[in-house]
Amino acid sequence: MIRCLAIDDEPLALQQLATYISKVPFLQLAAQCQSALEARQFLEQDTVDAIFCDINMPDLNGMDFVKSLTVPPLVVFTTAYAEYAVEGFKVNAVDYLLKPFGMQDFQRAALRLKERMESSTAVAATALSQPDAPSTAATDDDTIFLKTEYRIVSVRISAIRYVEAMSEYLKVWLDGEPKPIITLLSMKKMEERLPANFMRIHRSYIINLRCIQEVNKNRVIMEKDTYLPIGDMYKDAFQHYLDTKFLGK
């Protein structure tokens, strides 16, 4: 199933997109937004495999919105202006639907979307199954691979500041990156893969102990604006760690 985000500032066009998506068996509508800014807020909290995005929108047009995404999902542009087609393909858009378009045109774009996603997944799976590369995708002790959107990205374990659980997904926050990597993975599997300098301090948080700046009552301060709670189940283990490192009376 391909999770989709529909974006269009025109309510009727947005409703049409939502209806078309609902009629394609392998598409699932995750949300619909009436602006790129609204879509950006959604993507900060959730993840999708593809977006159907209008281009000519107020405040932030669809083209600039896609270019601003750190890891953009697959994109199908929808617009009434044919002159945007060439620019659309420059940002690796899967397809371009010229308004007004019907269900047949939409199905064509959906099939191209499915083919592109299957192709990307197959290439990644082949790379990860090579004899010299273990299934964890670790090329050395400090490297893991995580699937995010339709890509598989390399992550240095030492760069992970903390991991945050979000429903069935994880947010992996890295040094120097303003946005997390969002991946479909359980906390248990992540906890098992991380080395000893990582500790689970809450049902929703695993932290890199080397990144702690301060411990204040029942909170761990990772940086000036990041305060993470210490859960009751994890207090004893965390206090034991502090005792082994504490200098003073």
Side-chain angles (χ1 to χ4, degrees), residues 49-120:
D49 301 307
I51 57 176
F52 289 87
C53 185
D54 185 26
I55 294 179
N56 192 28
M57 295 186 291
D59 297 326
L60 179 64
N61 71 51
M63 194 72 65
D64 291 338
F65 165 66
V66 170
K67 290 177 181 178
S68 74
L69 297 176
T70 305
V71 184
L74 296 174
V75 180
V76 175
F77 283 118
T78 65
T79 183
Y81 300 91
E83 60 267 26
Y84 285 119
V86 174
E87 189 178 357
F89 287 112
K90 284 182 179 179
V91 296
N92 202 28
V94 174
D95 208 346
Y96 182 98
L97 288 169
L98 187 61
K99 297 179 181 179
F101 55 87
M103 186 61 194
Q104 186 175 355
D105 292 327
F106 183 84
Q107 285 178 320
R108 180 204 71 219
L111 285 172
R112 287 184 178 177
L113 192 65
K114 185 171 182 281
E115 290 170 359
R116 177 76 71 86
M117 188 165 182
E118 288 175 346
S119 176
S120 299

Side-chain angles (χ1 to χ4, degrees), residues 187-212:
M187 285 287 273
K188 182 180 178 182
K189 285 201 171 183
M190 178 62 83
E191 193 174 11
E192 289 172 350
R193 180 62 184 85
L194 294 174
N197 59 293
F198 285 82
M199 179 178 286
R200 191 164 182 175
I201 61 165
H202 188 276
R203 62 185 178 84
S204 298
Y205 295 102
I206 299 171
I207 65 169
N208 186 340
L209 297 169
R210 294 170 182 166
C211 295
I212 295 175

Side-chain angles (χ1 to χ4, degrees), residues 149-183:
E149 307 293 354
Y150 63 96
R151 300 181 180 184
I152 293 182
V153 297
S154 174
V155 175
R156 284 191 303 111
I157 294 175
S158 58
I160 298 175
R161 289 185 286 127
Y162 64 97
V163 179
E164 178 183 0
M166 181 185 68
S167 186
E168 298 177 346
Y169 294 84
L170 297 182
K171 289 182 177 180
V172 181
W173 295 87
L174 304 175
D175 282 335
E177 297 294 336
K179 294 181 180 180
I181 292 174
I182 300 177
T183 185

Side-chain angles (χ1 to χ4, degrees), residues 204-231:
S204 298
Y205 295 102
I206 299 171
I207 65 169
N208 186 340
L209 297 169
R210 294 170 182 166
C211 295
I212 295 175
Q213 291 192 4
E214 186 178 333
V215 179
N216 189 337
K217 296 182 179 178
N218 292 326
R219 298 184 303 177
V220 172
I221 302 173
M222 306 297 286
E223 53 193 37
K224 61 179 181 180
D225 295 321
T226 304
Y227 298 79
L228 305 181
I230 304 170

Side-chain angles (χ1 to χ4, degrees), residues 7-17 32-35 54 56-58 79-81 99:
I7 311 168
D8 201 305
D9 64 310
E10 299 177 6
L12 291 179
L14 185 60
Q15 184 56 51
Q16 183 190 51
L17 263 180
Q32 43 187 314
C33 301
Q34 286 191 263
S35 73
D54 185 26
N56 192 28
M57 295 186 291
T79 183
Y81 300 91
K99 297 179 181 179

